[in-house]
Amino acid sequence: SSGINAEWPLRPGSTVIIDREKISDCLSLPLTLFPLLSCLLGNDVINYEMLEEFHRRLLKDSEEEEGERKKDEKEGIQLVSAVIDFVKELDPEIKTDISSNVSTIIKQVLPESENTEEIEALFLSGLEQYKESQPIPDETEPVPSTVVTVSVVEKEK
C-alpha cells in the first residue's frame, strides 16, 4: 500500500504544495483518473455517506484477511488504496472517457441505487468541479508561505 508523508507539524498559515505528477507516477494512476478517484472517495459534491456501502464492499476482503482493526485506520490509507485499485481495474474503455461512462461506473459502485439519474448528475458535477480546480497552463502559481516537502512512500504489505 502507499502512504503520503509530509514534514509536520505545519505552522499556521502554511501552504502544502503537492506535485500531482509525482503522486500520479507513484500511484501508477494517470492524472486523468484523479477526478474519478476524488468522486469515489467522497468530496464536496459526492457525499461520503452515499458511498459507505461501496467502501464497505471494497474493505471487506482486507478486513477478513487482517482481522479486526481500528475503524479510522482502516478507513484511512486502506480505503484510499482500495479505491485506487478499483479505479485501476476499470475497463480501459471506461477509463478513456469517464464522463460518457458515468452510468456504467455507478452501476458498479452503487448497484442498489434507485435514483441513478440524480447520482449521475452529482458525479458529472464532481468530475467537472475537479477539472475547474486544475491550474491553467502558464497560470502563475501563488507563492506559498511555507513549502512542505510531500513524498509518497511504499509500505511493505
Side-chain angles (χ1 to χ4, degrees):
S1 67
S2 299
I4 298 177
N5 288 340
E7 296 168 10
W8 303 108
L10 293 176
R11 294 191 311 242
S14 297
T15 301
V16 176
I17 297 178
I18 297 176
D19 185 329
R20 294 177 194 202
E21 284 81 14
K22 284 184 182 175
I23 298 224
S24 171
D25 291 344
C26 210
L27 298 175
S28 300
L29 189 71
L31 283 171
T32 55
L33 296 177
F34 278 34
L36 178 61
L37 178 63
S38 171
C39 288
L40 293 176
L41 287 168
N43 58 25
D44 293 348
V45 179
I46 308 297
N47 190 321
Y48 180 83
E49 286 78 27
M50 181 191 304
L51 300 165
E52 279 184 323
E53 185 57 39
F54 169 63
H55 293 165
R56 243 188 312 262
R57 281 196 325 268
L58 289 180
L59 291 173
K60 187 178 173 209
D61 295 334
S62 61
E63 185 179 280
E64 289 171 359
E65 290 172 16
E66 298 175 23
E68 199 57 43
R69 268 202 164 154
K70 287 186 277 178
K71 184 179 180 185
D72 59 344
E73 181 182 329
K74 179 174 62 185
E75 287 184 354
I77 194 64
Q78 285 183 333
L79 176 60
V80 173
S81 295
V83 175
I84 289 170
D85 289 343
F86 173 85
V87 171
K88 286 180 181 179
E89 292 166 9
L90 285 171
D91 188 289
E93 288 181 22
I94 292 174
K95 292 191 275 192
T96 57
D97 189 1
I98 298 295
S99 295
S100 297
N101 289 291
V102 166
S103 62
T104 305
I105 295 166
I106 289 170
K107 287 175 189 163
Q108 292 179 42
V109 173
L110 303 167
E112 308 292 318
S113 183
E114 293 175 11
N115 53 345
T116 54
E117 285 183 19
E118 182 181 328
I119 294 169
E120 278 183 44
L122 284 172
F123 264 79
L124 288 169
S125 176
L127 294 170
E128 196 57 38
Q129 177 185 339
Y130 193 96
K131 286 179 192 170
E132 290 171 6
S133 74
Q134 300 287 334
I136 299 165
D138 299 329
E139 184 179 88
T140 306
E141 292 286 321
V143 178
S145 57
T146 304
V147 175
V148 178
T149 305
V150 177
S151 60
V152 181
V153 293
E154 289 295 317
K155 293 183 179 178
E156 291 182 28
K157 290 187 176 183

